[in-house]
Amino acid sequence: MKRRREIVASLMREDEMILSIGSYPQLGSGDFLEPPHKANGQFSRSLFLPDEVINPHPRFHTLAGNIRERRGSKVRINMPVFHDLNTPRPFIDPSIPYDRSLFPGDKEAKEGAALPDHIYMDAMGFGMGCCCLQITLQAPNVDLARRLYDQLATVGAVMMSLSASSPIFRGYLADVDCRWNVIAAAVDDRTAEERGERPLAKDRFAIPKSRYGTIDTFLGSDDGLFKPEYNDLKLVYDHEIYRHLVNNGIDELLAKHVAHLFIRDPLVIFEELLDQDDSVSADHFENIQSTNWQNVRFKPPPPNSPIGWRVEFRPLEVQLTEFENAAFSVFTVLLARALLAFPDINFYIPVTKMDINMQRAHNRDAVFNERFYFRRSSPADGEDTVAELTANEIINGSAEFIGLVPIVQMYLDSISVDEKVRRKIERYILFVRGRANGSIMTAAAWIRIFVRNHPAYKFDSVVSSEINYDLAVALDDIANGRRPAPELLGAGNTV
């Protein structure tokens, strides 16, 4: 991770810096680009984002345009504003150009797309401009990959709350700390019929969620812990694809998972890749798979490849420093290995409870203030009850639950670990403990405090260019070790 930063830094100008945070605070606010560009692009048609922010590869311009065209309108992203002492009530964003008439969709903001008391955004770039810490884990076989997928899905929300780093959107303090819902809305290509706003006429399905969200169904595995009642969400899936898979030997749970992916249309198709031999290429499958973004992703091996069965863990927000990113990465890998080593560990809760957890994890200071649905007992002891526990109880343990940290330490005790390596791992574990018990603050909390203590802040939720600049400098100083931040990294920890 350090080497990656060094490589990028070596290619930058002296007046440029790397900000490893969930969302750039002034993305889409005024002249936030250097040099400035006007928000008048044909692909996004955004009131705020110029098309120049889009990666020049044709895939990304096409994604932006196709999401808008398929949906039949621009995307509607509304994050609740943080009501500070001088924030107007109701908050009606004065920076929205309500009367612009450059594109047909410009009128949407005035017609209700921009909600009162919310920060309004209108383009895919606001979501794809966010950053995360994504970890891909390889399992020994398909059954253990299915186990990892199911068990890790249930811890995603609490882990996201520990990693929260996104309290500012489009130059305003938000009343949330995470980026997840921004991305979910930014890539929501569902039509009005699919969103349930009109009766089905042209479309096949009413689809409850964006293609970016929590999983809708568990896969089950041979560990014997899955019960049908955990899949308590009515699953929408392509019945023809499901029957084809079942008739060719795929079990019901996995067949429904794949058939559920194919309720979505492809977002980008390159003409030269239309004719594929599916026995040697997975491009057609990956075209759908790679644009279904869930909190975990189940990844079959590519054809004719030594790569095995994998699971992506996707909820974590990127952290400011290499130390924090390494701590969360190592902890996640060790938790996954513990899940493989101890087959009795059981984190199953109903799928609908995971949806609730993910929404709670967004809230300001969720790591301290929210409770998350979680299994009371793990390893399994015959009970099948769910409790609402704090992040501290889930991570560090309580009378209700053994705790994820103790499970990781049990795993470490069961294997041979070099003493020097174990000491380094314990630093990472201590950091995760501190995030959960409140002794180490999240980046979102640190950023919010910095803004509210800035002499130019008027307690009106506005993060001005001056505040944004000073914040960027402060974050860069922390990331490069020039500014000590034990309240963010923990005592004695460096970048």
Side-chain angles (χ1 to χ4, degrees):
M1 289 181 179
K2 287 183 177 179
R3 180 58 182 153
R4 180 178 58 181
R5 182 183 289 270
E6 290 170 357
I7 292 171
V8 175
S10 70
L11 302 172
M12 294 167 57
R13 302 195 313 247
E14 288 186 5
D15 61 347
E16 294 176 333
M17 63 180 66
I18 302 167
L19 286 182
S20 180
I21 53 177
S23 177
Y24 180 65
Q26 285 211 312
L27 182 68
S29 176
D31 291 333
F32 69 99
L33 291 177
E34 177 58 42
H37 292 276
K38 291 184 178 181
N40 57 8
Q42 177 66 36
F43 290 97
S44 293
R45 301 188 180 183
S46 173
L47 298 173
F48 317 105
L49 279 188
D51 276 357
E52 283 79 5
V53 304
I54 303 174
N55 185 300
H57 190 285
R59 166 183 168 88
F60 298 99
H61 285 84
T62 306
L63 269 173
N66 285 359
I67 287 172
R68 175 178 46 76
E69 289 184 18
R70 189 187 185 283
R71 178 185 171 90
S73 67
K74 291 193 293 184
V75 294
R76 300 181 179 186
I77 312 166
N78 285 280
M79 290 295 107
V81 73
F82 172 69
H83 278 285
D84 216 329
L85 300 175
N86 298 324
T87 307
R89 288 182 182 269
F91 170 78
I92 306 297
D93 186 355
S95 69
I96 299 175
Y98 288 102
D99 295 324
R100 195 182 82 168
S101 57
L102 185 61
F103 300 110
D106 288 350
K107 62 184 180 181
E108 293 169 12
K110 195 171 186 177
E111 292 178 348
L115 301 179
D117 293 322
H118 285 73
I119 305 161
Y120 172 63
M121 294 163 276
D122 65 348
M124 187 193 78
F126 284 107
M128 292 307 178
C130 295
C131 299
C132 72
L133 176 63
Q134 183 177 300
I135 302 160
T136 301
L137 306 149
Q138 183 155 316
N141 55 53
V142 61
D143 266 309
L144 290 175
R146 291 169 73 159
R147 171 170 166 75
L148 278 184
Y149 178 91
D150 286 3
Q151 302 298 326
L152 288 176
T154 65
V155 305
V158 68
M159 292 296 288
M160 187 175 78
S161 73
L162 265 63
S163 66
S165 68
S166 309
I168 306 172
F169 296 101
R170 213 169 57 71
Y172 294 105
L173 277 176
D175 208 27
V176 297
D177 280 353
C178 297
R179 93 275 177 219
W180 188 269
N181 281 348
V182 173
I183 311 176
V187 296
D188 189 0
D189 69 326
R190 292 174 301 160
T191 67
E193 291 180 16
E194 290 172 331
R195 297 194 302 270
E197 297 170 4
R198 298 176 191 164
L200 286 175
K202 297 179 180 179
D203 294 306
R204 298 188 299 160
F205 308 105
I207 305 175
K209 298 179 187 176
S210 165
R211 59 201 302 152
Y212 191 106
T214 49
I215 65 169
D216 290 327
T217 182
F218 289 118
L219 297 180
S221 69
D222 62 358
D223 62 15
L225 301 177
F226 173 77
K227 296 180 181 180
E229 54 263 35
Y230 299 146
N231 280 341
D232 64 337
L233 187 70
K234 185 177 180 181
L235 190 68
V236 182
Y237 61 95
D238 187 305
H239 288 256
E240 183 179 347
I241 290 176
Y242 168 75
R243 285 192 298 270
H244 176 76
L245 292 170
V246 169
N247 291 340
N248 284 273
I250 305 298
D251 65 87
E252 177 183 342
L253 286 171
L254 187 54
K256 283 187 175 179
H257 165 77
V258 175
H260 173 63
L261 298 178
F262 280 84
I263 65 174
R264 314 282 182 176
D265 284 345
L267 286 177
V268 178
I269 297 178
F270 294 107
E271 185 176 2
E272 61 271 22
L273 297 178
L274 275 175
D275 296 319
Q276 296 282 319
D277 180 352
D278 291 334
S279 66
V280 296
S281 170
D283 280 354
H284 287 157
F285 171 72
E286 289 298 339
N287 193 293
I288 295 292
Q289 160 94 332
S290 65
T291 53
N292 274 271
W293 298 281
Q294 272 78 52
N295 52 336
V296 287
R297 177 181 281 159
F298 185 70
K299 302 187 71 172
N304 306 311
S305 167
I307 297 173
W309 295 89
R310 293 148 296 149
V311 173
E312 289 178 3
F313 187 70
R314 305 173 58 84
L316 289 166
E317 304 240 312
V318 76
Q319 302 298 287
L320 181 63
T321 68
E322 280 69 44
F323 171 78
E324 297 164 277
N325 285 316
F328 279 120
S329 299
V330 168
F331 184 79
T332 302
V333 169
L334 291 174
L335 179 60
R337 291 188 178 181
L339 289 168
L340 297 179
F342 305 138
D344 288 339
I345 292 177
N346 182 4
F347 297 155
Y348 275 121
I349 60 173
V351 165
T352 54
K353 301 296 187 188
M354 275 198 298
D355 287 341
I356 296 170
N357 284 350
M358 208 63 173
Q359 295 311 308
R360 291 179 178 179
H362 281 84
N363 293 337
R364 177 165 47 92
D365 293 329
V367 68
F368 312 125
N369 299 329
E370 294 294 338
R371 289 181 172 269
F372 303 93
Y373 287 103
F374 214 79
R375 281 188 74 90
R376 272 201 170 95
S377 53
S378 181
D381 62 3
E383 295 183 18
D384 195 18
T385 56
V386 174
E388 292 182 76
L389 305 179
T390 64
N392 187 41
E393 290 172 321
I394 294 170
I395 298 296
N396 293 320
S398 68
E400 301 277 13
F401 174 64
I402 186 174
L404 300 184
V405 163
I407 287 174
V408 166
Q409 289 177 322
M410 285 168 51
Y411 170 72
L412 290 170
D413 291 341
S414 73
I415 62 174
S416 177
V417 181
D418 177 82
E419 184 178 345
K420 184 178 179 181
V421 172
R422 181 68 185 258
R423 285 199 302 269
K424 190 166 188 176
I425 290 173
E426 289 295 341
R427 283 180 58 219
Y428 293 149
I429 292 176
L430 192 63
F431 167 78
V432 174
R433 274 192 182 277
R435 277 283 172 92
N437 66 28
S439 61
I440 300 175
M441 65 174 58
T442 65
W446 194 97
I447 290 169
R448 193 182 301 276
I449 290 171
F450 180 94
V451 170
R452 298 190 79 239
N453 285 335
H454 194 282
Y457 182 62
K458 300 177 181 178
F459 295 91
D460 56 358
S461 309
V462 176
V463 181
S464 66
S465 295
E466 178 185 353
I467 298 171
N468 182 73
Y469 177 83
D470 290 344
L471 173 63
V473 170
L475 295 176
D476 186 60
D477 284 345
I478 292 172
N480 287 284
R482 296 187 294 268
R483 176 173 177 154
E487 69 279 13
L488 183 64
L489 306 178
N493 292 324
T494 60
V495 297

